[in-house]
Amino acid sequence: MTTVLIVDDQPLQRFGFRMLLESQDDMTVVGEAGSGTEAVRLTDRLRPDVVLMDIRMPDMDGIEATRRIVASGSPSRVLILTTFDLDEYAYAGLRAGASGFLIKDALPEELLSGIRAVASGDAVVAPRLTRRLLEAFADHLPAGEYGDAPGDPAAHPRLSSLTERERQILTVIGQGWTNSEIAARLHLAESTVKTHVGRILAKTGARDRVQAVILAYDTKLVRPA
Amino acid sequence: MTTVLIVDDQPLQRFGFRMLLESQDDMTVVGEAGSGTEAVRLTDRLRPDVVLMDIRMPDMDGIEATRRIVASGSPSRVLILTTFDLDEYAYAGLRAGASGFLIKDALPEELLSGIRAVASGDAVVAPRLTRRLLEAFADHLPAGEYGDAPGDPAAHPRLSSLTERERQILTVIGQGWTNSEIAARLHLAESTVKTHVGRILAKTGARDRVQAVILAYDTKLVRPA
DNA sequence: CCGGGCGTAGTACCGAGGTACGACGGCGAC
DNA sequence: GTCGCCGTCGTACCTCGGTACTACGCCCGG
């Protein structure tokens, strides 16, 4: 039986979670907390398998509460659950030692399987966040036996307004391709490529493709050979 | 409709995946590949939304194939799927630019939802791996600045034939300056700058200043901001 | 002294790159 | 439905970059 502590400042929200969890015969809600300080205190006392932690709370937010719970050496694992998919939250939450990070728009089944995964010692991150986390932390991944890789786009402020397609075009610009080469290899008209390039320059503030290349390197969109 | 390319050296395995995917009315298998080289070729030709990539294959493994697909600027996203949950594989695969990494013991539903997540631009990692990845993140987050070895750019073979002046010009090219800017700031005529640039391109084999910029970064003549 | 590398400078030419439009189909949000 | 974003394609125009070739003064080494 997986024991869960629900932490959220909204009673209605807690109620919904409780109903969902109690409907599962392998889970039980052992307590509820409405603030960070209460969460820390109850976790220490109840020692639940999983703490379902909201972020935005009065008194002490979920990140800080997570940090204290983890730092206390508690065996309880923290699964952060929030309305917001802001990167900083995920970043901070995981740094604080959370075992997972899900967004509240997740399907009920996803939440349940997430809780089970966390309870069994695994970890989960909402797919929407996983992508950005990987991008942000690809640099810091330990090198495997396969050596260096060309890495992947980084979520960088100057690139944030680019569409997926534009980021892709910028990548190949960074690899030194001419417009006509880009057109040929991506099966596009050169005029289309020019349109994309123009928009990339406008959005990033780069003056020409040379500065776009520099930007691509600086943001680690492309990497030195 | 999500288009998928199945890459696995075992025909029986491919058959199983095909059956599973084709049973979904929002997915279609557009091709199969039995090796890494074939995977790269077919991805370029078929441009599937998702490439379901096995790791252990003859000829070229899935990691290298992933690296090439991503480096080519392809819009296709790679979801690595393997029997082994070895960390190095996950690290290498994600560093290679994969959008996801699942283990073959996953439930069919998990595979399907993973494919959908990846197709929609998100990313997924098997929970069993997620935990260790997060630990790796945590370890490497505070680290940050571990600089590269000094390395004298001048020693690089492609730069060795450049004169001091040419290396200087190449450096400022690498900083994004136009010919006229270089002329103004170095108190030269633009024609002189053009002469230098032309010689630099000839000596280094770079086709244009864009490739010269890339060369400057690759040889560490200039470094990311 | 003279050859040769180097840095400087010029002219002429042309193609690639970038700008400024306009246009259209698809698709998701409202 | 309708609006707006995205990706696509087109035309026209002009600038910048790169090539080709020539030329001159400097300094060093033979």
Side-chain angles (χ1 to χ4, degrees):
Chain A
M1 180 67 77
T2 300
T3 55
V4 180
L5 170 67
I6 297 175
V7 183
D8 199 308
D9 63 329
Q10 298 182 354
L12 193 58
Q13 188 88 66
R14 292 201 302 269
F15 177 78
F17 287 144
R18 178 182 277 273
M19 286 302 98
L20 173 64
L21 302 199
E22 293 288 9
S23 73
Q24 305 295 304
D25 51 15
D26 64 334
M27 293 186 190
T28 182
V29 177
V30 295
E32 298 183 12
S35 74
T37 50
E38 199 180 351
V40 173
R41 194 168 46 79
L42 284 181
T43 299
D44 181 51
R45 217 179 68 204
L46 303 172
R47 312 185 83 66
D49 296 321
V50 177
V51 178
L52 208 55
M53 180 79 76
D54 187 32
I55 284 192
R56 301 187 95 183
M57 285 182 299
D59 178 7
M60 178 197 297
D61 69 30
I63 304 291
E64 181 56 30
T66 298
R67 188 172 297 122
R68 299 199 185 187
I69 288 170
V70 172
S72 75
S74 167
S76 299
R77 296 180 170 277
V78 179
L79 175 54
I80 293 183
L81 193 59
T82 184
T83 315
F84 310 94
D85 61 347
L86 300 178
D87 293 2
E88 315 86 68
Y89 284 142
Y91 186 90
L94 294 174
R95 279 166 61 106
S99 292
F101 201 102
L102 294 179
I103 305 171
K104 282 186 180 172
D105 70 0
L107 299 175
E109 310 88 78
E110 292 175 339
L111 174 59
L112 294 173
S113 70
I115 291 175
R116 291 191 183 95
V118 168
S120 65
D122 291 333
V124 288
V125 175
R128 193 180 308 170
L129 296 173
T130 300
R131 168 163 156 251
R132 282 177 283 190
L133 274 175
L134 292 182
E135 289 168 353
F137 295 123
D139 308 343
H140 303 291
L141 279 178
E145 59 188 33
Y146 282 84
D148 277 354
D152 211 41
H156 187 282
R158 295 223 13 224
L159 304 183
S160 60
S161 64
L162 296 184
T163 66
E164 202 58 35
R165 191 58 154 169
E166 286 160 357
R167 222 186 305 276
Q168 181 194 1
I169 302 279
L170 178 54
T171 302
V172 296
I173 289 176
Q175 284 160 3
W177 298 16
T178 64
N179 287 339
S180 68
E181 283 175 342
I182 296 173
R185 303 212 204 175
L186 296 188
H187 311 115
L188 294 175
E190 187 171 344
S191 63
T192 303
V193 176
K194 282 191 172 188
T195 302
H196 283 307
V197 172
R199 283 204 271 255
I200 290 168
L201 299 184
K203 285 185 179 179
T204 60
R207 177 176 51 193
D208 49 36
R209 74 196 296 110
V210 170
Q211 294 198 343
V213 169
I214 293 171
L215 177 64
Y217 271 85
D218 288 351
T219 59
K220 309 231 193 312
L221 230 197
V222 298
R223 297 168 169 287
Chain B
M1 179 67 78
T2 300
T3 57
V4 180
L5 171 67
I6 297 176
V7 183
D8 199 307
D9 62 331
Q10 299 183 355
L12 193 58
Q13 187 88 65
R14 292 202 302 270
F15 178 81
F17 287 145
R18 180 182 276 272
M19 287 303 97
L20 173 63
L21 301 200
E22 293 289 8
S23 74
Q24 304 295 305
D25 51 14
D26 65 333
M27 293 186 190
T28 182
V29 177
V30 294
E32 297 184 10
S35 74
T37 51
E38 200 180 351
V40 174
R41 194 167 47 79
L42 283 182
T43 300
D44 181 49
R45 218 180 69 205
L46 303 173
R47 314 184 81 68
D49 296 319
V50 176
V51 179
L52 207 59
M53 180 80 75
D54 187 31
I55 285 191
R56 301 187 94 185
M57 286 182 298
D59 179 5
M60 179 196 296
D61 69 32
I63 304 291
E64 180 58 28
T66 299
R67 199 183 339 267
R68 298 199 185 188
I69 288 170
V70 172
S72 77
S74 166
S76 299
R77 295 178 172 280
V78 179
L79 176 54
I80 292 182
L81 194 60
T82 184
T83 316
F84 310 96
D85 63 345
L86 302 176
D87 292 3
E88 314 84 66
Y89 284 143
Y91 295 151
L94 294 174
R95 285 167 63 96
S99 293
F101 200 100
L102 294 180
I103 305 171
K104 282 185 179 172
D105 70 0
L107 299 175
E109 312 86 80
E110 292 175 338
L111 173 58
L112 293 173
S113 70
I115 291 175
R116 292 192 182 93
V118 169
S120 65
D122 292 334
V124 288
V125 175
R128 194 179 308 171
L129 296 173
T130 301
R131 173 168 152 247
R132 281 177 286 191
L133 278 174
L134 292 183
E135 288 169 356
F137 286 155
D139 292 347
H140 288 73
L141 273 180
E145 307 298 328
Y146 42 94
D148 294 336
D152 183 10
H156 196 282
R158 289 192 57 194
L159 303 184
S160 59
S161 64
L162 296 183
T163 66
E164 200 56 37
R165 190 59 154 169
E166 286 160 358
R167 224 187 314 275
Q168 181 193 3
I169 303 280
L170 177 54
T171 302
V172 296
I173 290 176
Q175 283 159 3
W177 299 15
T178 64
N179 288 340
S180 69
E181 283 174 344
I182 296 172
R185 303 208 203 179
L186 297 188
H187 309 294
L188 295 175
E190 185 170 346
S191 61
T192 303
V193 176
K194 282 191 172 187
T195 302
H196 283 307
V197 172
R199 283 205 273 256
I200 290 169
L201 299 184
K203 285 184 179 178
T204 60
R207 177 175 51 194
D208 50 35
R209 74 197 295 112
V210 171
Q211 294 198 343
V213 170
I214 293 172
L215 177 64
Y217 271 85
D218 289 351
T219 59
K220 312 238 191 308
L221 230 199
V222 299
R223 293 167 178 282

